[in-house]
Amino acid sequence: MTRVAEYSQALIKASVERSRLLNKRRIKSLAECRSLDEMASQLRGTAYESLLSDIREPNAAKLQYAFKEEMIRVCKKILAYSPKRIRDSLENYIRYLEVENLEILIKMKSMGASYDSILSMLHLSVDEILGLKGRFIQAAKASGVSSAIEVFRNTIYEPALSEGLRRYEETRSTRFFDFSLDRTYYDGLLNSVKSLPKADRKAALLLAGMRVDVFNIITIIRSKLLDYPPHLTFWAITRRFYLLSESQIRSMVSSRDVGSILDSVKETFYGRFLTQQRSIEETVMAFERKVDSFIMKRINGMRIAEPFTISSLLDVILRKEAEVKNLILISSGIEFGWKPGDISKFLI
């Protein structure tokens, strides 16, 4: 089968979903809303309308759950029509949503949350795509953290969960699950690129590689803010790099403070995305969003040059992802009482 035939259905679906994206003018208008009710009202007539119609007295958490469900719907459609030989790579990319589910599940289990409370927080629609929905439901019914972890035996998460459980039993902290699961996700993301056809590898490697590098940089910064010792920071990051070297990573980890880490980042390819903000958290947020914007522009260029490749499908997934990140930021900003200008400067 030719590439044109392989991609024809997927490109049609991608084009439809691209046409349903919110334009910049609509996003800017949403950022100027004075209440979440007004925001929900402005989203009538969009892809989000059906998900928001049943929400009464909206708060940021309710809206954000709906936004993510819409993103998962788009991912599901793109995956359903994607060529088989790139599907594993696309699934590995969206697996971060399942990792988020696992981290939420474990935290809520450690707090003794009820079955219904846990399910209300999980996006089981993504687990349906990736085949673990039944296990998540079973784990939500489990009697405790250890029993919930047992449910995921013989899955790709077993090694990370076993490692996290061992540290949890020593410290009673769930952060070690986060460390292990995040590291597993990013390592798997890079590994999945190897199996792709050569024509698809360039776009997938750009996305996976830059996401891995940014994960490492941000993890190092946040670890320093939390005053983690260097050995714990090394445990939390991946051993895989793309545009960073091991020596650059070691220099960041061993830095005496956050300012020194940022100075080290400025000396790398990623220095171009760093801008001084009012706080470290705002600096990190702006950094991450500038990298996201760069990745989207590069992959869009690849899509235009070679439409019958994975870049066309990644393009629409990334655009939807950016849209949802913007909506989450806007809804949080409105709830926290931020000024529209403060929200707008962090939009992708």
Side-chain angles (χ1 to χ4, degrees), residues 317-332:
I317 289 173
L318 292 177
R319 286 177 183 276
K320 190 67 180 184
E321 193 176 64
E323 177 178 281
V324 167
K325 284 182 180 179
N326 283 336
L327 293 175
I328 288 173
L329 173 66
I330 291 167
S331 57
S332 293

Side-chain angles (χ1 to χ4, degrees), residues 67-122:
F67 299 152
K68 276 198 173 181
E69 283 295 302
E70 164 59 13
M71 182 175 73
I72 293 166
R73 180 197 65 78
V74 172
C75 292
K76 183 177 182 179
K77 180 172 283 189
I78 297 300
L79 279 165
Y81 290 91
S82 63
K84 288 183 179 179
R85 55 183 175 167
I86 68 166
R87 200 166 298 160
D88 282 350
S89 184
L90 292 175
E91 286 183 355
N92 272 305
Y93 177 69
I94 69 165
R95 200 173 292 280
Y96 75 89
L97 294 163
E98 188 165 72
V99 168
E100 288 176 1
N101 273 350
L102 262 174
E103 292 172 353
I104 290 168
L105 170 71
I106 292 166
K107 285 181 177 67
M108 295 189 77
K109 271 294 165 192
S110 73
M111 295 185 294
S114 69
Y115 169 76
D116 289 337
S117 295
I118 293 172
L119 285 193
S120 71
M121 296 293 292
L122 302 181

